[in-house]
């Protein structure tokens, strides 16, 4: 009922930047927020950042000050600007649909296909 399509991953050197995009289609009225998760080999998937249609934000401590999430509600598209990238940011990044309850982001079971981000040292 919801389709999410990511783009923008790639290989960069430490200190470089990437911008990820995710376009949502289908039953987009069923959620009021979108987020980015990442998963590295051997590790659990973790929330990186999330944003609601009303402008609420949620960032992981490890990316605060380096990553910025934004959203174009008219286009149902969310972006993740990643600056000052570190090797530990290497992971598959997944787009997600969800909602905010208070200040907390809750993931729904809608996922993109994932895009690989690799940061070399």
């Amino acid at each position: 009922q919801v389709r999410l399509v990511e783009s923008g991953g790639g290989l960069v050197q430490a200190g470089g930047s990437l911008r990820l995009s995710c376009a949502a289609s289908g039953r987009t009225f069923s959620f009021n927020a979108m987020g980015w998760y990442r998963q590295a080999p051997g590790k659990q998937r973790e929330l990186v950042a999330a944003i609601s249609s009303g402008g609420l934000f949620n960032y992981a401590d490890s990316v605060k000050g380096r990553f910025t999430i934004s959203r174009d509600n008219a286009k149902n598209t969310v972006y993740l600007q990643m600056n000052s990238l570190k090797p530990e940011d290497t992971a598959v990044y997944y787009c997600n649909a969800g909602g905010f309850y208070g200040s907390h982001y809750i993931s729904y079971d809608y996922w993109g296909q994932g895009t690989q981000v690799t940061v070399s040292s």
Side-chain angles (χ1 to χ4, degrees):
Q1 58 182 328
V2 176
R3 186 185 182 194
L4 305 174
V5 180
E6 302 115 321
S7 62
L11 173 65
V12 298
Q13 294 182 340
S17 299
L18 283 174
R19 182 174 181 260
L20 306 183
S21 299
C22 175
S25 61
R27 300 172 66 89
T28 56
F29 56 83
S30 64
F31 58 90
N32 62 21
M34 298 177 69
W36 289 95
Y37 285 73
R38 67 185 181 187
Q39 187 167 26
K43 297 183 179 179
Q44 293 187 330
R45 190 172 299 186
E46 64 175 350
L47 177 66
V48 177
I51 185 171
S52 76
S53 60
L56 299 176
F57 298 91
N58 195 319
Y59 289 97
D61 289 341
S62 61
V63 306
K64 288 181 179 177
R66 299 189 297 121
F67 292 8
T68 302
I69 190 169
S70 61
R71 182 171 183 170
D72 186 333
N73 289 330
K75 297 181 179 180
N76 291 316
T77 300
V78 66
Y79 307 93
L80 185 67
Q81 179 66 46
M82 304 185 294
N83 298 326
S84 301
L85 283 163
K86 304 174 181 179
E88 50 263 45
D89 295 318
T90 296
V92 178
Y93 284 70
Y94 296 92
C95 184
N96 173 253
F100 269 84
Y101 297 85
S103 62
H104 297 92
Y105 178 75
I106 303 298
S107 172
Y108 302 158
D109 196 21
Y110 301 120
W111 299 93
Q113 80 285 356
T115 184
Q116 177 71 48
V117 172
T118 302
V119 184
S120 64
S121 60

